[in-house]
């Protein structure tokens, strides 16, 4: 019983371990992603459970239509706001300077919060993302957000931003998993002190039957999902696996009690096929 309690305490401590972003703000390495949690009751239950278990970071977006649920679950949790790390994002149709400021206000209203920890540009909308970024810089100056960053930016977008802005993004949140390891982009971000955050870190559960990952799971006494998430951590990626299932929410956090060997890390890297399950950042077509 005592051992079990100690194990849970250790998981929670690790679960709350943080990466220091380049502006000094600390962000948990693991958060709960809440994309496709549209059904409010299900979302509320999952977020509440994750917070109770020890998660402190939630990744939402205006387009997910659940910022209100996130806000309510956070308030009901009784956890002091400053102990939590809340991310939301400005959607494509809200981009541009004035629209972004307005969209941010709407997000704050939905969340019922005074500030967010991290505000991200969701996709690099051509001819607009520079103006959108200026709005994010203003929100940062006004201390309505503790950090600002981007999603789905390619190296050319980041170079363009660097040439035309004052603040550097703290984070680039990108599709990243063993089938899409994004080496050049990760290397570029590392060189610029831009943290890399993996969306669809589990490749939306598509790789869980991959024989080599299953075999590694057997070797380490872990699930293939835990092998993938551990691979991310050892690569220094921030991760936001989504789950509405309590067992899986726990499972995704229990990845601190083993270490993949260098050979196994390199074998997982070898699964890369530059294969995207989401849209390409230079050719996305949704508004
Ligand atoms: P994930 O890679 O996190 O996979 C989620 C899927 O895997 C769900 O079907 C989930 O099912 C299942 N799953 C989760 N854990 C396990 C497990 N341990 N074993 C088996 N199956 C599991 O995909 P997402 O696309 O949701 O990405 C995560 C988050 O990234 C999103 O929720 C969102 O916050 C963010 N995101 C950002 C984007 C961007 O453009 N910036 C784009 C897409 C996502 P179940 O819920 O039933 O457990």
């Amino acid at each position: 019983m005592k051992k079990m309690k100690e194990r849970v305490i250790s998981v929670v401590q690790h679960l709350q371990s943080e990466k220091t972003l380049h502006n000094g703000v600390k962000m948990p390495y693991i958060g709960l992603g809440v994309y496709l949690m549209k059904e409010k009751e299900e979302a509320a239950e999952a977020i509440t459970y994750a917070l109770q278990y020890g998660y402190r970071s939630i990744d939402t977006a205006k387009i997910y239509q659940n910022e209100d649920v996130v806000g309510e679950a956070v308030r009901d949790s009784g956890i002091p706001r400053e102990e939590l790390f809340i991310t939301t994002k400005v959607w494509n149709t809200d981009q541009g300077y004035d629209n972004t400021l307005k969209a941010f206000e709407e997000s704050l209203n939905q969340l019922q919060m005074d500030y967010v920890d991290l505000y991200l540009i969701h996709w690099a909308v051509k001819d607009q993302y520079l103006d959108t970024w200026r709005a994010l810089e203003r929100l940062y100056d006004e201390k309505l957000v503790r950090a600002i960053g981007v999603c789905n930016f390619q190296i050319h977008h980041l170079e363009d931003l660097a040439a035309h802005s004052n603040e550097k993004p703290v984070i680039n949140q990108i599709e990243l998993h063993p089938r899409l390891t994004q080496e050049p982009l990760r290397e570029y971000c590392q060189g610029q002190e831009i943290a890399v955050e993996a969306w669809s870190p589990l490749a939306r559960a598509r790789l869980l039957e991959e024989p080599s990952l299953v075999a590694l799971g057997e070797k380490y006494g872990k699930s293939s999902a835990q092998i993938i998430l551990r691979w991310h951590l050892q690569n220094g990626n921030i991760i936001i696996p989504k789950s509405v299932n309590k067992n899986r929410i726990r499972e995704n956090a229990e990845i601190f009690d083993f270490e993949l060997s260098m050979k196994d890390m390199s074998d997982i890297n070898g699964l890369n096929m530059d294969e995207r399950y989401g849209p390409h950042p230079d050719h996305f077509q949704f508004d």
Side-chain angles (χ1 to χ4, degrees):
M1 184 70 183
K2 190 169 163 236
K3 260 205 158 136
M4 168 93 161
K5 211 171 166 186
E6 277 169 6
R7 202 178 66 87
V8 171
I9 291 170
S10 155
V11 169
V12 169
Q13 274 168 354
H14 280 109
L15 180 51
Q16 293 170 4
S17 67
E18 296 169 317
K19 183 174 182 82
T20 303
L21 305 174
H22 74 63
N23 70 343
V25 165
K26 291 183 172 165
M27 172 174 190
Y29 270 101
I30 300 190
L32 182 74
V34 300
Y35 177 47
L36 295 184
M37 286 195 197
K38 262 194 183 166
E39 212 270 284
K40 301 229 179 231
E41 210 169 303
E42 183 181 63
E45 239 176 71
I47 299 164
T48 299
Y49 181 75
L51 292 175
Q52 270 169 7
Y53 187 66
Y55 283 67
R56 288 295 173 266
S57 168
I58 309 282
D59 182 87
T60 183
K62 187 165 178 237
I63 195 72
Y64 302 167
Q65 296 177 18
N66 55 23
E67 290 168 312
D68 55 339
V69 183
V70 171
E72 200 174 334
V74 161
R75 281 191 301 287
D76 291 351
S77 74
I79 299 166
R81 173 68 185 88
E82 62 276 13
E83 288 178 21
L84 294 162
F85 194 97
I86 307 298
T87 301
T88 193
K89 317 183 187 90
V90 53
W91 186 239
N92 304 344
T93 45
D94 290 321
Q95 291 206 28
Y97 186 78
D98 292 331
N99 284 346
T100 298
L101 294 178
K102 198 165 147 247
F104 178 75
E105 209 176 309
E106 284 163 15
S107 285
L108 273 193
N109 279 338
Q110 288 291 315
L111 288 161
Q112 291 280 302
M113 290 178 184
D114 304 327
Y115 68 93
V116 298
D117 295 277
L118 177 62
Y119 198 41
L120 300 175
I121 299 184
H122 212 142
W123 291 86
V125 176
K126 212 164 170 257
D127 300 329
Q128 286 199 297
Y129 65 80
L130 290 178
D131 285 336
T132 306
W133 186 252
R134 276 199 305 119
L136 264 62
E137 287 178 327
R138 175 169 163 181
L139 295 168
Y140 182 60
D141 285 345
E142 291 178 352
K143 301 200 173 359
L144 291 166
V145 296
R146 295 177 64 229
I148 51 177
V150 294
C151 306
N152 302 306
F153 271 41
Q154 304 278 71
I155 293 175
H156 70 91
H157 296 121
L158 292 168
E159 284 175 340
D160 189 29
L161 201 60
H164 297 99
S165 62
N166 301 320
E167 288 296 334
K168 188 167 66 174
V170 293
I171 264 190
N172 191 12
Q173 186 186 105
I174 54 176
E175 182 179 349
L176 185 59
H177 44 69
R179 283 274 187 259
L180 180 69
T181 54
Q182 304 250 34
E183 279 313 316
L185 180 53
R186 285 187 55 244
E187 213 168 281
Y188 177 85
C189 288
Q190 215 165 14
Q192 299 293 318
E193 295 182 299
I194 298 171
V196 171
E197 183 174 20
W199 66 254
S200 291
L202 292 168
R204 301 209 168 129
R206 282 180 173 96
L207 294 183
L208 303 181
E209 307 296 324
E210 160 62 39
S212 60
L213 295 172
V214 173
L216 283 175
E218 279 162 15
K219 173 175 166 184
Y220 288 95
K222 291 284 172 180
S223 69
S224 45
Q226 288 171 316
I227 297 293
I228 297 175
L229 295 175
R230 180 72 206 182
W231 167 82
H232 278 291
L233 281 192
Q234 286 182 223
N235 273 331
N237 304 331
I238 295 170
I239 47 174
I240 41 172
K242 171 262 175 187
S243 182
V244 291
N245 175 286
K246 289 181 183 168
N247 291 333
R248 293 195 281 273
I249 289 173
R250 274 203 318 276
E251 180 183 324
N252 293 345
E254 291 173 358
I255 54 173
F256 293 96
D257 54 354
F258 73 110
E259 190 171 342
L260 295 166
S261 69
M262 275 167 67
K263 159 91 172 56
D264 292 334
M265 286 293 290
S266 142
D267 287 351
I268 300 174
N269 291 337
L271 294 173
N272 180 45
M273 293 171 71
D274 291 332
E275 188 178 359
R276 290 177 190 276
Y277 300 118
H280 191 291
D282 283 327
H283 312 292
F284 63 90
Q285 265 196 345
F286 36 55
D287 42 38

